[in-house]
């Protein structure tokens, strides 16, 4: 059983920054791959950024240069630093995880955290 818990969302103005965190707990093995997804109302789910326990990562073109994903294996936590936020970044951000080594982990999910970018 894997539990993922996100934190760090909130309401910010355009151009500001937020840092999201997702911590997992697992009764079996280490969760090797974790990612951030977002889905705005009426839109499809989008993979924003992903990272493996070995440090291999990917970031969506839509946020490249503004968002950075990182991981602290000792804390079972991933982070996503979001800079220069734009209104179109407004969404529920959910953490996904998988025991597999994949850059699209989607076997386990957190409840999500709301990010709202508005002036």
């Amino acid at each position: 059983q894997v539990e993922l818990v996100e934190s760090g969302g909130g309401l910010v103005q355009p151009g500001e920054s937020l840092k999201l965190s997702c911590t997992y707990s697992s009764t079996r093995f280490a969760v090797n791959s974790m990612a951030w997804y977002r889905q705005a109302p009426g839109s499809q789910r989008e993979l924003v950024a992903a990272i493996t326990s070995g440090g291999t990562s990917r970031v969506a073109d839509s946020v490249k240069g503004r968002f950075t994903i990182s991981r602290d294996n000792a804390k079972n936590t991933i982070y996503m630093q979001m800079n220069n936020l734009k209104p179109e970044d407004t969404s529920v951000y959910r953490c996904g995880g998988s025991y597999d080594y994949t850059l699209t982990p989607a076997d386990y999910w957190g409840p999500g955290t709301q990010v709202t970018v508005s002036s």
Side-chain angles (χ1 to χ4, degrees), residues 1-107:
Q1 185 69 21
V2 175
E3 182 180 13
L4 302 172
V5 179
E6 304 98 337
S7 62
L11 171 64
V12 296
Q13 295 187 346
E16 294 186 337
S17 299
L18 279 175
K19 187 173 185 178
L20 304 183
S21 301
C22 175
T23 300
Y24 80 84
S25 59
S26 172
T27 59
R28 296 181 62 195
F29 312 112
V31 175
N32 285 310
S33 303
M34 298 176 72
W36 289 101
Y37 294 82
R38 66 185 181 186
Q39 185 169 18
S43 299
Q44 289 189 329
R45 185 174 65 203
E46 176 188 12
L47 173 65
V48 182
I51 190 167
T52 69
S53 57
T56 301
S57 64
R58 65 181 289 186
V59 178
D61 289 342
S62 59
V63 302
K64 198 166 291 183
R66 300 188 297 122
F67 292 11
T68 303
I69 190 168
S70 60
R71 180 169 183 152
D72 186 336
N73 291 329
K75 295 183 178 179
N76 295 346
T77 299
I78 65 168
Y79 307 94
M80 185 161 71
Q81 178 68 45
M82 306 187 295
N83 298 328
N84 190 22
L85 282 160
K86 303 177 180 181
E88 52 263 42
D89 295 319
T90 295
S91 187
V92 174
Y93 285 73
R94 296 185 72 187
C95 181
S98 174
Y99 289 126
D100 297 333
Y101 284 96
T102 172
L103 289 177
T104 55
D107 295 327

